[in-house]
């Protein structure tokens, strides 16, 4: 440093600390007079990075990084968003100025606290500050801290503050140096109230820019400019899916002349600025500069006019510079900078915060950015840009107040991009707002756009991972080498696999979505979107994969087609992402409310089983429970409106949900609350009793079953035959829109009813009454129960009395009858397996095996077949008889399922099943104690006993019997040992002799016995009792719900079961074979649980359901408005409005007082001039001066004030003319 004699380099460091390379003749013969960072500094790998913990300031840690001033900004932005986990910003506010020990005015602090920080939280913005405890940076940190303390912890969204400062300016920076990284680095802050160069602990991240200087400002300016410019070219939203680029705005508070160069450079990159007028030097200078108007030619124009204006401009700038910067010497440079700033003054917005206050500061930011965007994009509409910013910030209140107040006529094209942005970035309030203001969802949602919505899913979502798995399967089948390069080996088996989102996401199609929904919903409904893809629902998976690959390789015609059910498609899309508010809104807009809610419940519960994150799992379960309650509430409203229509609603096949019904979806979703509804149980009772009255006594059924002629008497009452299909008929007095067409349809339905009655009347009374009794599910159930008891009696008699030896002596006649009976049971199980509709054989078998009682039946049949084979041979006869005895136990336990229909026994069976699970936990603990005690007991009593049978018996069997009190004390207590023949010789023991007991540690055996019995009989048994009590109390509270849900499965089973019981069921099987498969006659019973409605019937039912849903939502909204929370919120809004009005009144009062002061001065001056004129000879008049009474009243009235000021200026004008 040739300009300094202090031993310091121009970089600010001591010359002695520099390397020899820097101080030697490294630069040759060149004479260095000015230090330059790029030429006179070297780059090395960073030695300060990691996490920062402020000593004494809590456990919250911040990220930090020391970087070079020319580091690429994209590297740092990626580091902050992907590795540090900072949320992507919707806005970036860079606060500059106010450095050092400059005093910040109180109203500026108020703007930062109530305006900037609140706006940053509401918009999801980043705040870039100096990061030090000095000047404006310290004020921003205090504002963030105050806001965090005042905001509620539930609704609080963290304000992201990033400190960008020069490395050489940081106090105690050596504490951060660690070449391996600090995790964390403890940083000690100076405990002082004055401004220091210590780091501010309110920042989430610190970017410490090193340009080689020490103790000098401005080293971070170039990097910060590049970072702001890079962020301004990134798009908002998830993966940059937003409709606009991230807006960046700089906020100037006070500042020195160095800030002018910063502003000029930033304006050249088209970055808008917000200047706080009155905050300090540079801000006031920019305020005056932007307010000054030079006409007719701007300063940069050519010609004489431009030169004159430039001269005038230079004079004006010099004058203002001397005013705001008295110590500035380089006025020429400042004038050039000011002229460059003036050329881009359209990007500058001046905010008079002292007069306007901090309210609606976010609106001020919005207006400033819109003003800047108008200058940059002349073709863009002002309102469209403002709307995109409001969507990016998620400020629906601004949109309602400024853009959707009725003054602007929005077009579909204006809302399309913003709608996509709102959908992808989870802004349901904007989605609702757009749909209410002109956006037609039918035209908006095409298949291509629906695919793009699925492609925009976050890679951390479970649904995205599952979709990528299905995509990999399709691409692997097609032999795509690209998919092989993307996926690492074993990625298919890994649940959370890593995916190249930039390439793989573009290949997602509706076929992957369909397969995912098929995995989640199972066989309840047909595959989704197969119609749009041109696929057959009955097509196999591999064949469908090949056809889809062929379709996607060519021109996708389906992409531009509109989605047939847009609201349902968006609803499923929102449910897969577990977006509560968005899903609820789409559910409100979609049709088939009950089925849609149950479908969402099924999807969410299946996803929760696959989710690993506990918070997401809990959120999915809660949302599923909420949709189940919505389905229950809507159906309750429907049931109160019309019982017959509500029954039709339960069994109607939905074309939107792949032919599923509400009952089937509720069963798959395990919606027990829905099944407990009285309307569902009423329908099940109707089906259970068939054409008989529901009040029929059980003893009458048994009597009629034993003596069939009694069914032709009045012992059992039967209802009028009413076809189930005509439930959809609407009574004339209940029709809410009875037009002429509706009346004609009612007449048609009545004619159908008459024809049906005539058809039934053609049958003889004997046949019709016989069918009414025997075809009822309750009769089938009763017959199966009675015949099953007879089967068990026959089985027991054969097993105990008539089980003869192998052929030729056996089997006996009764045993052959038993074999035939079991054969009919096997035929019935085969028939149940075939009940799968359009499912393939493997899918039907999988569905059959999923039921626990079917597993029990299969086990019993397999054991019976094994016993039958074994008993036919002499060498395995005893084994066959033993297996047959075990099989009898299995058949007997099958009775438990039969009594599940009973209202008292049904819940107890559920409790028993839950207790069996508790027993397994108990057995685990018991096994540990058995093993521990048994081995120690055997080792202490017998020093040598290699017999394996006796070891197993003494280690496990005897300790188990000790629990129940069977203790052989004569073998354990040395004082009570009995004399017996035994030996200690190992050879004799190996030969089979009885080993002698060891008495060496007999006292220890007794102690272990006492401890073992203490834990098993007292601790473990009482633990088991407590577990049983907990299970019983938990299930007993919801026993009615459990029983009603289990009752449905039993009713469905016996509804589709033939009327005859085994072994006579073989005749029913032959009848079904001939009627269904040979004559191809469909079953009338299938329409009891599934009904297809088309045309006007389906439309009327959907409209009626939608009306009931609207009634429910209106009632819930009314109840919510009347709640205490809503009242408090409305009161809070009113109080805020009153406080705002009071603030305005105080401001008006202050202005009136100021005006009154000025008026008093004017009156005094006018009085003085009047006296002076009267005493002079300038004006001669014969009249005395006028007198005014009530001067104070005159002064206080605003109209008098105006008249007085007008009189004053008029008098001045007259005096000047004279």
């Amino acid at each position: 440093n040739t300009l300094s004699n202090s031993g310091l380099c121009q970089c600010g460091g001591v010359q002695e600390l520099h390397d020899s390379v820097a101080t030697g003749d490294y630069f040759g013969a060149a004479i260095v007079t000015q230090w330059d960072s790029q030429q006179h500094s070297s780059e090395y790998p960073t030695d300060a990075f990691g996490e920062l913990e402020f000593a004494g300031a809590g456990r919250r840690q911040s990220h930090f990084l020391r970087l070079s001033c020319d580091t690429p900004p994209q590297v740092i932005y990626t580091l902050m968003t992907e590795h540090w986990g900072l949320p992507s910003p919707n806005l970036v506010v860079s606060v500059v100025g106010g450095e050092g020990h400059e005093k910040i005015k109180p109203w500026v602090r108020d703007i930062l606290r109530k305006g900037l920080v609140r706006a940053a939280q509401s918009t999801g913005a980043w705040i870039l500050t100096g990061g030090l405890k000095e000047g404006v940076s310290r004020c921003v940190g205090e504002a963030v801290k105050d806001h965090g303390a005042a905001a509620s912890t539930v609704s609080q969204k963290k304000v992201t503050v990033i400190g960008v400062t020069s490395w050489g300016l940081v106090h105690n920076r050596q504490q951060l140096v660690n070449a391996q990284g600090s995790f964390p680095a403890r940083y000690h802050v100076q405990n002082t109230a004055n401004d220091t160069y210590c780091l501010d602990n309110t920042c989430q991240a610190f970017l410490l820019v090193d340009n080689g200087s020490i103790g000098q400002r401005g080293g971070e300016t170039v990097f910060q400019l590049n970072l702001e410019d890079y962020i301004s070219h990134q798009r908002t939203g998830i993966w940059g899916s937003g409709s606009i680029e991230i807006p960046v705005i700089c906020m100037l508070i006070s500042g020195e002349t160095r800030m002018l160069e910063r502003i000029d450079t930033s304006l050249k990159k088209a970055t808008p600025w917000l200047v706080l007028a009155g905050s300090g030097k540079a801000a006031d200078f920019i305020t005056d500069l932007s307010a000054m108007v030079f006409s007719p030619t701007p300063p940069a124009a050519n010609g004489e006019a431009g030169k004159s204006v430039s001269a005038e401009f230079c004079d004006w700038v010099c004058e203002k510079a001397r005013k705001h910067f008295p110590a500035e010497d380089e006025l020429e440079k400042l004038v050039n900078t000011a002229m460059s700033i003036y050329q881009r003054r359209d990007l500058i917005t001046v905010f008079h915060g002292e007069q306007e206050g901090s309210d609606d500061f976010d609106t001020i930011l919005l207006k400033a950015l819109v003003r800047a965007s108008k200058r940059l994009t002349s073709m863009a509409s002002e309102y469209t840009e403002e709307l995109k910013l409001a969507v990016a910030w998620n400020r629906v209140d601004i949109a309602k107040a400024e853009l959707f107040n009725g003054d602007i006529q929005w077009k579909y094209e204006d809302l399309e991009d913003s709608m996509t942005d709102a959908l992808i970035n989870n802004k349901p309030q904007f989605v609702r707002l757009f749909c209410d203001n002109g956006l037609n969802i039918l035209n908006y949602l095409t298949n291509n756009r629906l695919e793009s919505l699925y492609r925009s899913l976050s890679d951390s979502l479970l649904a995205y991972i599952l979709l990528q798995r299905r995509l990999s399967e399709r691409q692997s089948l097609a032999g795509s080498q690209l998919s092989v390069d993307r996926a690492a080996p074993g990625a298919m088996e890994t649940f959370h696999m890593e995916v190249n989102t930039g390439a793989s996401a573009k290949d997602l199609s509706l076929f992957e979505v369909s397969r995912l929904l098929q995995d989640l919903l199972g066989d309840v409904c047909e595959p989704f979107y197969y119609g749009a893809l041109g696929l057959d629902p009955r097509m196999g998976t591999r064949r469908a994969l090949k056809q889809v690959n062929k379709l996607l390789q060519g021109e996708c015609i389906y992409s531009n087609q509109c989605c047939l059910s847009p609201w349902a498609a968006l609803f499923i899309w929102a449910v897969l992402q577990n977006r509560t508010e968005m899903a609820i809104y789409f559910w409100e807009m979609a049709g088939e409310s009950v089925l849609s809610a149950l479908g969402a419940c099924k999807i969410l519960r299946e996803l929760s089983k696959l989710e690993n994150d506990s918070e997401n799992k809990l959120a999915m379960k809660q949302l599923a429970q909420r949709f189940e309650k919505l389905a229950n509430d809507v159906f309750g409203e429907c049931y109160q409106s019309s019982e017959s229509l509500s029954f039709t609603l339960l069994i109607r096949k939905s074309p939107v949900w792949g032919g599923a019904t509400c009952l089937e979806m509720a069963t798959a979703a395990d919606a027990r609350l829905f099944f407990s509804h009285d309307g569902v149980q009423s329908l099940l009772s109707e089906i259970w009793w068939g054409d008989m009255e529901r009040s029929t006594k059980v003893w009458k059924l048994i009597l009629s079953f034993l003596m069939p002629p009694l069914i032709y008497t009045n012992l059992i009452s039967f209802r009028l035959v009413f076809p189930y299909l005509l439930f959809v008929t609407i009574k004339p007095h209940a029709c809410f829109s009875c037009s002429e067409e509706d009346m004609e349809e009612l007449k048609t339905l009545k004619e159908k009813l008459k024809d049906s009655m005539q058809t039934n009347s053609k049958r003889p009374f004997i046949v019709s009454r016989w069918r009414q009794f025997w075809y009822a599910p309750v009769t089938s159930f009763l017959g199966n129960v009675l015949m099953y008891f007879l089967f068990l009696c026959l089985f027991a008699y054969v097993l105990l009395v008539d089980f003869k030896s192998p052929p030729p002596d056996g089997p006996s006649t009764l045993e052959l009858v038993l074999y035939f009976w079991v054969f009919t049971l096997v035929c019935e199980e085969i028939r149940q397996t075939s009940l799968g509709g359009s499912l393939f054989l493997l899918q039907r078998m999988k569905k059959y095996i999923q039921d626990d009682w079917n597993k029990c039946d299969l086990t019993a049949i397999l054991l019976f077949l094994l016993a039958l084979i074994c008993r036919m041979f002499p060498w395995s006869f005893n084994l066959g008889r033993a297996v047959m005895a075990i099989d009898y136990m299995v058949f007997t336990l099958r009775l438990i399922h039969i009594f599940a229909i009973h209202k008292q026994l049904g819940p107890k069976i559920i409790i028993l099943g839950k207790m069996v699970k508790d027993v397994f936990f108990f057995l685990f603990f018991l096994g540990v104690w058995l093993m521990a005690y048994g081995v120690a007991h055997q080792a202490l009593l017998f020093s040598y006993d290699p017999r394996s049978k006796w070891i197993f018996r003494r280690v496990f069997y005897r300790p188990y019997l000790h629990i129940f009190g069977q203790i052989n004390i004569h073998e354990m207590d040395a004082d009570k040992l009995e004399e017996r023949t035994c030996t200690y010789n190992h050879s004799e023991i190996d030969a089979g002799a009885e080993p002698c007991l060891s008495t060496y540690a007999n006292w220890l055996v007794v102690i272990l016995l006492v401890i073992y019995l203490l834990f098993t009989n007292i601790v473990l048994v009482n633990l088991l009792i407590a577990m049983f009590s907990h299970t019983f109390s938990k299930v007993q509270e919801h026993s009615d719900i459990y029983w009603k849900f289990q009752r449905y499965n039993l009713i469905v089973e016996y509804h589709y079961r033939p009327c005859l019981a085994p072994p006579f069921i073989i005749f029913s099987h032959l009848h079904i074979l001939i009627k269904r498969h040979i004559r191809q006659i469909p079953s009338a019973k299938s329409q009891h649980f599934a009904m297809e409605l088309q045309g006007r019937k389906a439309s009327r039912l959907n409209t009626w359901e939608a009306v009931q849903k609207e009634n429910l939502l209106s009632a819930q909204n009314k109840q919510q408005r009347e709640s205490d929370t809503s009242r408090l919120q409305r009161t809070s809004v009113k109080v805020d409005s009153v406080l705002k009005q009071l603030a305005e009144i105080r401001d008006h009062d202050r202005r009136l007082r100021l005006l009154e002061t000025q008026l008093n001065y004017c009156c005094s001056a006018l009085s003085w001039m009047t006296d002076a004129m009267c005493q002079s000879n300038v004006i001669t008049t014969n009249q005395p001066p006028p007198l005014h009474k009530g001067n104070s009243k005159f002064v206080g009235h605003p109209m008098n004030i105006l008249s007085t000021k007008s009189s004053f200026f008029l008098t001045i004008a007259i005096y000047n003319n004279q």
Side-chain angles (χ1 to χ4, degrees), residues 303-319:
E304 298 297 331
K307 293 179 180 179
S308 62
V309 173
S310 298
E312 181 184 355
F313 180 78
C314 291
D315 295 338
W316 181 87
V317 170
C318 292
E319 180 183 352

Side-chain angles (χ1 to χ4, degrees), residues 84-98:
W84 287 357
L86 299 182
S88 299
N90 296 322
L91 169 68
V92 175
V93 181
S94 182
V95 183
V96 297

Side-chain angles (χ1 to χ4, degrees), residues 226-254:
N226 295 332
L227 180 63
E228 293 168 0
D229 182 64
Y230 175 79
I231 294 177
S232 65
H233 291 85
Q234 307 305 307
R235 302 191 74 84
T236 59
I238 302 173
W239 289 359
S241 57
S243 58
I244 63 171
E245 294 177 343
I246 298 175
V248 177
I249 188 171
C250 296
M251 183 176 175
L252 177 61
I253 300 175
S254 185

Side-chain angles (χ1 to χ4, degrees), residues 770-826:
W770 182 270
R771 290 172 59 90
Q772 286 178 339
F773 178 78
W774 289 103
Y775 278 35
V778 63
T779 309
S780 176
F781 171 76
L782 183 62
N784 278 273
V785 170
L786 295 178
M787 296 304 295
Y788 198 78
F789 274 109
L790 183 61
F791 165 74
L792 292 178
C793 293
L794 176 62
F795 200 162
Y797 179 81
V798 170
L799 189 61
L800 298 176
V801 178
D802 202 14
F803 199 79
K804 294 184 178 180
S805 57
D809 298 336
S812 64
T813 304
L814 290 180
E815 191 173 353
L816 292 175
V817 173
L818 177 65
Y819 294 163
F820 177 76
W821 203 317
V822 174
F823 171 73
T824 59
L825 292 177
V826 173

Side-chain angles (χ1 to χ4, degrees), residues 648-675:
T648 308
L649 186 66
L650 291 175
I651 61 176
R652 181 267 316 266
K653 286 186 176 181
S654 169
V656 178
W657 287 85
T661 65
C662 291
L663 290 179
E664 292 174 348
M665 190 66 76
T667 306
D670 196 20
R672 301 178 182 179
L673 178 64
F674 181 78
F675 272 105

Side-chain angles (χ1 to χ4, degrees), residues 15 79-80 288 290 317 324 371 397 482 504 637-638 645 673 675 723 725 853 869 962 1048 1099 1139 1176:
Q15 293 185 2
L79 173 70
M80 290 190 294
D288 295 340
S290 60
V317 170
H324 297 292
R371 179 184 178 187
D397 53 341
L482 182 61
S504 297
E637 196 76 19
C638 295
L645 285 178
L673 178 64
F675 272 105
L725 286 174
W853 292 111
I869 295 174
H962 289 173
Y1048 166 77
S1099 177
L1139 292 176
S1176 65

Side-chain angles (χ1 to χ4, degrees), residues 167-220:
W167 166 262
L169 205 62
V170 178
H171 180 70
N172 288 338
R173 57 184 175 273
Q174 295 302 324
Q175 299 177 5
L176 311 179
V177 176
N178 187 352
Q180 304 300 324
S182 302
F183 302 95
R186 291 184 60 84
Y187 183 76
H188 296 271
V189 182
Q190 289 182 343
N191 188 13
T192 176
N194 299 326
D195 292 336
T196 63
Y197 294 150
C198 295
L199 297 177
D200 192 352
N201 60 350
T202 56
C203 295
Q204 277 77 32
F206 294 95
L207 300 178
L208 309 177
V209 184
D210 189 2
N211 67 338
S213 64
I214 298 176
Q216 297 180 4
R217 299 183 184 275
E220 75 285 354

